[in-house]
Amino acid sequence: MEIPKKHFFKIGEVCSLTDTQPYVLRFWESEFPQLAPNKTPTGQRIYRSRDVHLILEIKKLLYEEGYTIAGARKKLGRDSEVTQARQEADDVSLSPEAVGLLEAQEEVRSSLSEI
């Protein structure tokens, strides 16, 4: 599956991309500390493409490979130790204003592409 090249995705978009339900994503956020999307000033979840990849990996571990949540959490914990330094280098803490501006930029791009 190809994930669109966007900075941020809303929860509905992520559900469509990963074929999951919003309540499942919210539950996984409570179970997997690696999955922590940013929130807009209004409290809307904003996922990055790496969050979408992580959700797909969680889904694969749970549904295809038969891991329990605890087992998947351990496996992701071991895997994340290897890539944590790379993610920290990519992870830039964004202010709520910056998130709002990037979200507006994505909406403008989407509108322009429709035109």
Side-chain angles (χ1 to χ4, degrees):
M1 171 193 312
E2 187 173 324
I3 298 173
K5 293 192 184 265
K6 292 174 60 173
H7 292 287
F8 296 101
F9 299 89
K10 294 181 182 179
I11 194 167
E13 295 171 308
V14 175
C15 289
S16 296
L17 289 170
T18 61
D19 193 29
T20 55
Q21 296 294 316
Y23 70 89
V24 173
L25 295 180
R26 291 189 296 266
F27 174 71
W28 286 352
E29 287 173 27
S30 68
E31 294 295 321
F32 296 94
Q34 303 93 330
L35 184 59
N38 289 331
K39 292 188 180 180
T40 64
T42 60
Q44 187 174 32
R45 286 169 170 79
I46 300 293
Y47 295 85
R48 295 179 179 185
S49 62
R50 72 167 179 231
D51 294 325
V52 177
H53 287 290
L54 179 60
I55 290 166
L56 290 171
E57 181 66 22
I58 291 170
K59 183 178 176 182
K60 178 183 169 193
L61 289 172
L62 295 177
Y63 297 144
E64 293 176 20
E65 297 183 17
Y67 280 81
T68 63
I69 289 178
R73 189 182 311 121
K74 283 182 184 179
K75 174 135 176 70
L76 289 172
R78 283 193 300 268
D79 293 346
S80 70
E81 289 172 2
V82 174
T83 61
Q84 185 175 5
R86 181 170 38 108
Q87 287 181 349
E88 286 176 358
D90 292 341
D91 189 21
V92 176
S93 182
L94 298 174
S95 68
E97 295 83 17
V99 171
L101 289 172
L102 286 170
E103 186 177 48
Q105 180 184 16
E106 291 296 333
E107 289 176 12
V108 169
R109 282 186 181 161
S110 176
S111 298
L112 288 173
S113 68
E114 290 175 5
I115 294 173

